[in-house]
Amino acid sequence: MSTEMKMQKKSVSEWVKSGDPWVWLNAGAVAISVIMVVGLLLLIAVRGLGHFWPADVMQATYSLPGEKSYTIAAERVESVEVTSAQLREAGVQLPADDDEFLQRTLLKMGNRDVYGADFGWVLDKYLSDIQTPEMLFAAERHEWGNLYGYLMAVKEDGQLVSETSDVTATASALATWVMFEKSIERATAIHDDIKDIEKYDIGKINHALERIRLKQRRYELNGELTPAVEADLAAERAQYDEEYKGLQANLAALYQQINRDSFVVRVMDGTEHEMPVSKIVHAFRPNAMSVMDKLGFYFVKVWDFLSDEPREANTEGGVFPAIFGTVMMVLLMTVLVTPFGVVAAIYLREYAPQGIVTRVIRIAVNNLAGVPSIVYGVFGLGFFIYFLGSGIDQAFFPEALPSPTFGTGGLMWASVTLALLTVPVVIVATEEGLSRIPRNVREGSLALGATKAETLWRVVLPMASPAIMTGVILAVARAAGEVAPLMLVGVVKLAPSLPLDGNYPFIHLDQKFMHLGFHIYDVGFQSPNVEAARPLVYATALLLVIVIALLNLSAVTIRNHLREKYKSLEM
């Protein structure tokens, strides 16, 4: 028996020495990490993407004991189980013999302009007469959030064109709904025309007039504002003023057209309200929609989220300016950080004497990679904006002062700050790649008559390019999700005007921009309507992960292509 135990002990000892337990331990840790990451992404996806599904709208009677009953129309958001003691402590009047645990549901009731709040909690036990009428409709508005109610009439220029005699699915109700949909389509088309004129045509004129003003101010500062120059500027300004008057006339006509139609809606308290159709973004009857209808509407909502501008303190609308700003900032950061990181790594590895000074520099570079990002933001604010930016304004834009051009946060300073934050990663990755290039490759190139610079440019750097791309990938992964430094150097809550447009010089590096990471922070922690903002936090977080993944996949694809291209040289 003792011999058998010794043999088992020996086999266990040999098994431990073989390293298999550590392999299994590492494999288990990796598996758990993958499961946690996938689970987190699934949670974000379900919470975020589920927001765009057109849920059924219920109509019910709610009557708490001792209080007056009333009718509500709402979407179910979430349900939780609470104790009756907690509800009594919160001031809810419940019978003494009520259940110990009660189901509590958060409802999205909309109609914030009527009720004062568009979300509320109810106790399921006291909901009665629950139904889902087909003619009960939901409308997404440009202001005041969602609207729930029954469509009673549609008007043109104050004249009744269609009226509902019965809110059930009768012929008159359906005919009024068809007329309402046509009015929304007409108003949406006019709204798009107004947006194009105000944002692009008038924006272009305003940009040109501002350039004329700055040009005149520059002439004044230089003492070159002669009567002839002033007359030329006045003629140019008059031309733009004439165009502006024409656009204003078009706008006035469009606003008159868009305000032609109105509709009457009956809400759940029995009151009727007349509203302009131009305030409606989408109107739909979810209780009457089939699964395919809801699926089509779902993709329309997702596309609106990706392509529209935010509204209602960023709790409604889309996030396209934030997507554009994030991608553009990362691309500019990559263009800046790659050459500086590669040049620094080449000098440290190929040219600098390998002594104590070089070792100290390497230690400093490695330590910079661990500096908190907010420190880079403070440095960017103090050095880039207040020092460099103010100097640039004094030297090149004196006509715009005291209004700053580059002496305030903007796209360029945000990109430069993040390039400074990520340059240690590129330096370290590039140095590692250069150190792996075989010495005989360099010597062979030099033996064939190439100079050291030609050897680096034509042989060493191409072979090290996969490592350089690895550094770029790590830099993009870190920079794309940064928020703290950007809050100091250029990101703002709302900037619907993109930093890239058709106005000279086309790329406006001095302009402030939106960022997905800051958008998540703003919607999640600065929103006045927490319940409405919560699903958008999940949706924007999922979108940020997807954007970072796409940027990284693009870099990985380039790296793999370079690796395959120069694999023969390494062999």
Side-chain angles (χ1 to χ4, degrees), residues 371-450:
V371 173
S373 58
I374 189 65
V375 176
Y376 287 96
V378 174
F379 177 81
L381 178 65
F383 181 73
F384 294 133
I385 295 177
Y386 290 159
F387 180 69
L388 285 183
S390 297
I392 292 173
D393 285 352
Q394 293 287 346
F396 299 101
F397 303 100
E399 65 277 6
L401 293 175
S403 297
T405 302
F406 284 97
T408 184
L411 179 62
M412 185 175 75
W413 298 134
S415 302
V416 172
T417 301
L418 288 188
L420 185 65
L421 184 148
T422 55
V423 72
V425 177
V426 178
I427 292 174
V428 172
T430 304
E431 271 208 88
E432 290 296 324
L434 293 173
S435 65
R436 290 200 300 267
I437 305 301
R439 185 178 181 85
N440 57 4
V441 173
R442 291 181 173 85
E443 293 174 348
S445 176
L446 295 172
L448 291 172

Side-chain angles (χ1 to χ4, degrees), residues 310-349:
R311 335 183 279 275
E312 294 277 0
N314 291 344
T315 60
E316 299 285 348
V319 292
F320 179 73
I323 298 173
F324 190 91
T326 303
V327 173
M328 192 169 183
M329 183 205 66
V330 170
L331 293 178
L332 283 175
M333 181 274 303
T334 304
V335 170
L336 292 170
V337 75
T338 304
F340 282 104
V342 171
V343 168
I346 290 174
Y347 177 77
L348 290 175
R349 176 61 58 178

Side-chain angles (χ1 to χ4, degrees), residues 35-264:
I35 291 172
M36 292 176 65
V37 170
V38 172
L40 177 62
L41 291 177
L42 286 176
L43 173 66
I44 294 174
V46 170
R47 293 284 184 89
L49 296 179
H51 168 68
F52 304 107
W53 184 259
D56 288 345
V57 180
M58 72 168 184
Q59 177 180 316
T61 302
Y62 187 60
S63 55
L64 279 173
E67 295 185 11
K68 184 180 178 180
S69 63
Y70 56 92
T71 304
I72 58 175
E75 298 178 23
R76 292 181 181 269
V77 179
E78 61 176 333
S79 296
V80 294
E81 194 174 68
V82 295
T83 63
S84 56
Q86 289 176 314
L87 294 173
R88 291 190 182 96
E89 290 177 1
V92 180
Q93 300 297 325
L94 297 175
D97 59 344
D98 214 333
D99 299 336
E100 182 179 357
F101 293 96
L102 296 172
Q103 195 77 12
R104 193 178 184 216
T105 300
L106 177 64
L107 298 180
K108 183 176 182 179
M109 298 178 290
N111 302 357
R112 189 166 70 245
D113 50 338
V114 179
Y115 304 143
D118 50 1
F119 285 86
W121 289 92
V122 297
L123 298 174
D124 290 7
K125 180 178 180 179
Y126 299 104
L127 283 175
S128 60
D129 193 22
I130 300 175
Q131 50 186 310
T132 54
E134 288 189 4
M135 295 310 298
L136 182 61
F137 80 96
E140 180 184 345
R141 297 182 286 182
H142 291 286
E143 297 176 350
W144 298 106
N146 280 14
L147 169 69
Y148 299 105
Y150 290 100
L151 181 65
M152 303 306 298
V154 176
K155 297 181 179 180
E156 291 182 5
D157 290 325
Q159 301 298 319
L160 193 67
V161 295
S162 184
E163 186 176 13
T164 299
S165 58
D166 187 358
V167 295
T168 58
T170 60
S172 64
L174 292 174
T176 304
W177 179 257
V178 171
M179 184 66 67
F180 184 45
E181 287 183 321
K182 291 180 179 178
S183 298
I184 294 175
E185 290 178 4
R186 175 182 176 276
T188 301
I190 299 174
H191 180 271
D192 292 340
D193 293 339
I194 292 174
K195 181 179 177 182
D196 289 340
I197 293 176
E198 291 181 338
K199 186 173 181 179
Y200 301 109
D201 297 338
I202 293 182
K204 185 177 180 179
I205 291 176
N206 289 335
H207 181 78
L209 290 174
E210 178 64 12
R211 287 176 60 84
I212 294 173
R213 185 188 72 82
L214 294 177
K215 188 187 298 185
Q216 181 173 347
R217 176 61 178 163
R218 190 183 309 117
Y219 284 137
E220 290 177 358
L221 293 175
N222 296 334
E224 301 173 353
L225 188 60
T226 62
V229 171
E230 193 170 2
D232 291 340
L233 294 176
E236 191 175 354
R237 187 183 293 110
Q239 180 182 353
Y240 285 114
D241 287 340
E242 194 65 29
E243 291 183 23
Y244 181 78
K245 290 179 181 178
L247 292 175
Q248 283 291 94
N250 292 340
L251 274 180
L254 289 173
Y255 273 115
Q256 186 176 4
Q257 295 176 30
I258 200 173
N259 292 323
R260 186 197 70 177
D261 299 340
S262 62
F263 68 99
V264 178

Side-chain angles (χ1 to χ4, degrees), residues 465-466 469 557-567:
S465 55
M469 289 305 303
T557 303
I558 297 173
R559 183 190 63 183
N560 292 341
H561 173 74
L562 294 172
R563 184 174 292 165
E564 290 295 326
K565 182 177 180 180
Y566 298 110
K567 184 182 293 184

